[in-house]
Amino acid sequence: MNNVYYGKLVFELSKPGRKGYSLPANEFAAYALDALPVARRERKTLLPEVDELTVARHYTNMSNNNFGVDTGFYPLGSCTMKYNPKVNEEMAALPGFNVHPATPDCCAQGALKLYDEVQRTLAEISGLSRFTLNPYAGAHGELTGLMVIGTYHRQRGDVNRKKIIVPDSAHGTNPASAAVAGFQIVQVKSTAQGTVDVEDLKPLLGPDVAGMMMTNPNTLGLFETQIPEIARLVHECGGLMYYDGANLNPMLGVCRPGDMGFDVMHINLHKTFSTPHGGGGPGSGPVGVRAGLEHCLPNPQVVYNEEKGRFEQRFDDESLGCVSGFLGNFGIIVRAYAYLLSLGRENVPMAGRLSVLNANYIKERLRTHYKLPIDVVCKHEFVFDGLREEYGGDHHAADHVTTLDVAKRLLDYGYHAPTIYFPLLFHEALMIEPTETESKDTLDAFIDVMIRIAEEAKADPQMVKSAPHNTPIRRLDDVKAVKEPKFTFKAL
Ligand SMILES: *Cc1c(COP(=O)(O)O)cnc(C)c1O
């Protein structure tokens, strides 16, 4: 790209004395800071000196370097980067929903009605009894759900249950949340087919087990077929079943965690229910519980009856207390509501089914070029283990083309990279989740590029290994970035 502004810091565009403003002469006397010497600057500020046009071009070029689902296809697995209809944004921006969080319930009836309807719709979708929308993210929902499990055992005087069982394929937040909630983590293995190994689970169960966390579909995109048996075993030993429903997309309207025997779950509204996300937020991780656990949910709760909503709190020693200031990220809840209403009851299952169809379509068309370690029908996402041997994926070859190389080369073709080296079960994991919102044309174009990269890897491995070639910044040394981080710009 032959553009002097491209890929530069605004400091690099600075020229001494250049200005982007012209102000009238100062009509006030200069005020000397003699009375307050500590407030005086010791050296000149290092602000960039640039004209207005340079500023306009700088920021416009920077915004063009952004990649998002509004600019192109985003096959990032485990994230559900689906298109978020703009009407949801408009609804969330309606002035009536701009309610101060401390507004008393009498003055927030519209917001409380919406809140209650989202709580009840999520309960219906998941087959559970009641939801709280207070948690701010998926991991925060996990923490809340695990605290619900702890509260349940404590209220029953069953205080020796310290262990939470987590599969080795779990999202990293699962063991992290369990540790933060004060539990010990016990890992259960996966079988060669990628689902929880029931035989490995059995000896782990006992009177010290508080519960078990499962992700379904798991992080390999596979439906955990042994759930009824696992739920029976965990319940038999007195534990509760936790469902990580961060990526509920393929389940929507098709099957329900409550019917599978789960007691507690969270859902990521910012994945499944259409809120733009990435870069850390904003999020919303509602937590649902089965009948009989409602009293373990955190404060405050929104209760709606006789056409009136109100806040409810429990103050006894046994209650979980609060997990958030106020009632969560309300703007996200409005987006989820708008999304649910615009799909409608009849179309929610279509979203789930199309996400599964799209993932399987890509998987089947690319398996000729990429290694497919687990060959079954996937749900909304699947994992390759790098390129096939004949396309440069042979580990023993000197110019072996890795998953990282493929991901970097994709950038040259204008695609966001898929998730790579996660989950940790395969050496060269490359995880793709197309979501339901992409057309067949988009999927075909992506597939063609992936095949082209495989062929390039065979014909000219060094070219793929040195990608990207067309981005403002070429391949970064990510180890150096971690070991010698530079957070400030030094004047040239
Ligand atoms: C994204 C995700 C989480 C964590 O959600 P955050 O909102 O990022 O905290 C947990 N589990 C699974 C399976 C996920 O995909």
Side-chain angles (χ1 to χ4, degrees):
M1 167 81 64
N2 215 354
N3 177 339
V4 293
Y5 306 94
Y6 200 63
K8 288 232 173 80
L9 298 172
V10 70
F11 292 95
E12 294 170 277
L13 300 170
S14 174
K15 287 273 148 54
R18 215 166 256 183
K19 289 196 289 194
Y21 64 89
S22 105
L23 294 174
N26 185 6
E27 53 187 272
F28 302 101
Y31 179 75
L33 276 175
D34 291 340
L36 200 60
V38 289
R40 201 185 288 148
R41 206 181 275 295
E42 281 168 1
R43 52 189 163 79
K44 268 191 78 176
T45 52
L46 283 174
L47 292 175
E49 298 179 76
V50 279
D51 55 282
E52 180 176 325
L53 182 55
T54 300
V55 171
R57 287 184 179 153
H58 171 68
Y59 284 106
T60 307
N61 276 298
M62 277 226 293
S63 71
N64 287 340
N65 285 346
N66 270 338
F67 193 94
V69 79
D70 286 353
T71 39
F73 180 50
Y74 213 121
L76 199 68
S78 191
C79 288
T80 313
M81 299 306 247
K82 62 167 92 178
Y83 174 69
N84 306 291
K86 297 297 172 248
V87 66
N88 303 348
E89 298 301 308
E90 281 175 39
M91 295 304 111
L94 286 176
F97 287 132
N98 191 0
V99 202
H100 191 281
T103 307
D105 48 13
C106 61
C107 307
Q109 284 299 312
L112 292 183
K113 180 159 199 225
L114 182 149
Y115 202 94
D116 177 66
E117 283 188 16
V118 173
Q119 287 183 157
R120 283 194 286 123
T121 309
L122 295 181
E124 187 181 334
I125 284 174
S126 54
L128 292 170
S129 168
R130 190 169 168 76
F131 265 81
T132 172
L133 311 183
N134 295 6
Y136 287 115
H140 193 199
E142 289 169 29
L143 175 64
T144 306
L146 289 158
M147 287 163 77
V148 165
I149 292 178
T151 302
Y152 163 79
H153 292 306
R154 199 173 64 244
Q155 287 182 356
R156 299 167 69 246
D158 195 354
V159 292
N160 292 322
R161 297 191 178 267
K162 294 282 176 236
K163 291 186 179 158
I164 290 285
I165 299 172
V166 180
D168 59 4
S169 64
H171 196 272
T173 49
N174 288 194
S177 305
V180 173
F183 292 106
Q184 291 159 22
I185 294 112
V186 182
Q187 200 176 68
V188 58
K189 287 204 194 82
S190 300
T191 63
Q193 285 72 45
T195 52
V196 168
D197 185 341
V198 181
E199 291 314 311
D200 192 58
L201 172 68
K202 284 179 183 164
L204 306 177
L205 296 169
D208 54 352
V209 169
M212 169 158 180
M213 300 181 85
M214 285 185 78
T215 306
N216 187 45
N218 66 21
T219 53
L220 295 169
L222 306 177
F223 194 98
E224 291 277 357
T225 49
Q226 300 291 316
I227 286 174
E229 170 71 352
I230 294 171
R232 190 184 62 77
L233 291 167
V234 172
H235 286 148
E236 222 167 63
C237 88
L240 296 185
M241 289 292 287
Y242 184 93
Y243 189 99
D244 178 340
N247 297 303
L248 201 65
N249 228 24
M251 301 289 129
L252 280 181
V254 180
C255 62
R256 311 193 304 171
D259 299 338
M260 299 173 204
F262 286 93
D263 305 288
V264 185
M265 76 175 293
H266 83 271
I267 296 174
N268 280 15
L269 294 188
H270 50 289
K271 288 179 182 167
T272 311
F273 294 96
S274 164
T275 284
H277 69 288
S284 177
V287 169
V289 294
R290 69 157 161 77
L293 290 174
E294 299 93 336
H295 63 289
C296 299
L297 287 172
N299 285 332
Q301 290 197 34
V302 171
V303 180
Y304 203 87
N305 45 32
E306 289 166 6
E307 296 294 297
K308 211 168 150 3
R310 61 191 163 79
F311 303 121
E312 203 172 88
Q313 314 241 19
R314 276 173 56 104
F315 290 110
D316 50 287
D317 288 347
E318 305 279 83
S319 98
L320 191 160
C322 289
V323 296
S324 54
F326 306 102
L327 292 153
N329 267 331
F330 186 61
I332 309 240
I333 294 160
V334 178
R335 286 173 175 87
Y337 186 69
Y339 179 68
L340 281 163
L341 286 192
S342 50
L343 283 186
R345 187 185 293 267
E346 59 285 10
N347 288 318
V348 165
M350 270 306 273
R353 292 199 168 103
L354 286 176
S355 73
V356 173
L357 179 64
N358 284 357
N360 280 287
Y361 180 68
I362 297 183
K363 169 172 72 70
E364 288 306 312
R365 282 206 50 205
L366 285 181
R367 59 185 296 169
T368 46
H369 292 71
Y370 293 83
K371 276 182 222 147
L372 184 63
I374 296 182
D375 183 9
V376 292
V377 176
C378 65
K379 291 293 169 264
H380 60 308
E381 61 191 0
F382 63 92
V383 183
F384 284 131
D385 189 10
L387 283 158
R388 290 178 73 116
E389 268 84 4
E390 60 272 37
Y391 291 99
D394 180 0
H395 292 265
H396 306 294
D399 49 4
H400 165 219
V401 178
T402 66
T403 280
L404 179 67
D405 301 328
V406 172
K408 294 290 183 194
R409 185 67 181 142
L410 264 174
L411 306 182
D412 282 335
Y413 288 106
Y415 288 92
H416 193 281
T419 296
I420 57 172
Y421 301 109
F422 176 85
L424 307 177
L425 298 176
F426 308 112
H427 211 68
E428 290 291 333
L430 187 156
M431 185 184 205
I432 293 173
E433 177 183 10
T435 81
E436 72 281 13
T437 53
E438 300 300 334
S439 67
K440 181 166 177 293
D441 305 335
T442 306
L443 302 183
D444 283 333
F446 173 72
I447 290 164
D448 290 347
V449 162
M450 287 289 283
I451 291 174
R452 194 152 148 194
I453 293 173
E455 271 151 11
E456 288 172 349
K458 184 177 184 178
D460 187 0
Q462 282 316 316
M463 190 275 290
V464 178
K465 293 186 79 57
S466 53
H469 302 282
N470 306 333
T471 50
I473 308 273
R474 300 284 298 275
R475 193 177 298 206
L476 295 171
D477 181 343
D478 40 10
V479 176
K480 192 166 177 202
V482 173
K483 296 214 162 145
E484 295 169 37
K486 286 190 187 144
F487 297 117
T488 52
F489 174 76
K490 285 240 167 54
L492 294 168

